[in-house]
Amino acid sequence: QVELVESGGGLVQAGGSLRLSCVASGRSFSTHTVAWFRQGPGKDREFVGAINWGGSNTYYADSVKGRFTISRDNAKMTVYLQMNSLKPEDTAIYYCAASRSVISPRVVSDRRLYNMWGQGTQVTVSS
């Protein structure tokens, strides 16, 4: 099993940037698909983006495409979420999630396919 810990959240003005980190402990992290989800106030948890085990493929929600970038360093057992041009509507708790399964791009946004979750890190974007 893999344990995930997110960090890097905080308060930023609109237009600013933040980089979130998701550090894993445990074995075989390099074989996992890793995703970022977020949950804003009064909203359902929604998919932000995902990266496959090797880092060669990334997937993004339309709402963040072109602004957010996911990358991973398997040697450091870390996945990153670089967030640029932040908007107030990006305010949310951001969660890292992982799955040992290979997930089809068609369903990579389905949170039910991820069985390992971090505790989340708060991101607040002020206008």
Side-chain angles (χ1 to χ4, degrees):
Q1 193 75 348
V2 170
E3 183 176 330
L4 305 174
V5 178
E6 304 95 334
S7 64
L11 174 64
V12 64
Q13 288 187 332
S17 298
L18 282 174
R19 188 177 80 158
L20 306 184
S21 298
C22 172
V23 179
S25 61
R27 301 178 64 182
S28 302
F29 176 70
S30 61
T31 62
H32 289 62
T33 297
V34 179
W36 288 93
F37 289 81
R38 67 186 182 185
Q39 188 164 13
K43 298 180 180 179
D44 291 333
R45 194 169 297 189
E46 65 175 1
F47 173 76
V48 174
I51 188 166
N52 71 332
W53 67 271
S56 57
N57 294 316
T58 53
Y59 314 92
Y60 299 97
D62 288 343
S63 59
V64 306
K65 202 171 292 183
R67 300 188 297 123
F68 290 10
T69 302
I70 296 177
S71 60
R72 69 189 296 166
D73 184 337
N74 285 336
K76 295 182 179 179
M77 299 183 71
T78 303
V79 172
Y80 303 98
L81 178 66
Q82 177 67 45
M83 305 186 295
N84 298 328
S85 302
L86 282 162
K87 305 175 181 179
E89 51 263 44
D90 295 319
T91 294
I93 300 174
Y94 283 71
Y95 298 91
C96 174
S99 170
R100 289 191 64 184
S101 301
V102 175
I103 299 177
S104 167
R106 292 177 300 171
V107 293
V108 72
S109 61
D110 187 344
R111 65 185 185 186
R112 297 171 298 177
L113 300 178
Y114 298 88
N115 58 346
M116 290 163 272
W117 290 82
Q119 294 301 305
T121 185
Q122 175 71 48
V123 171
T124 302
V125 184
S126 63
S127 57

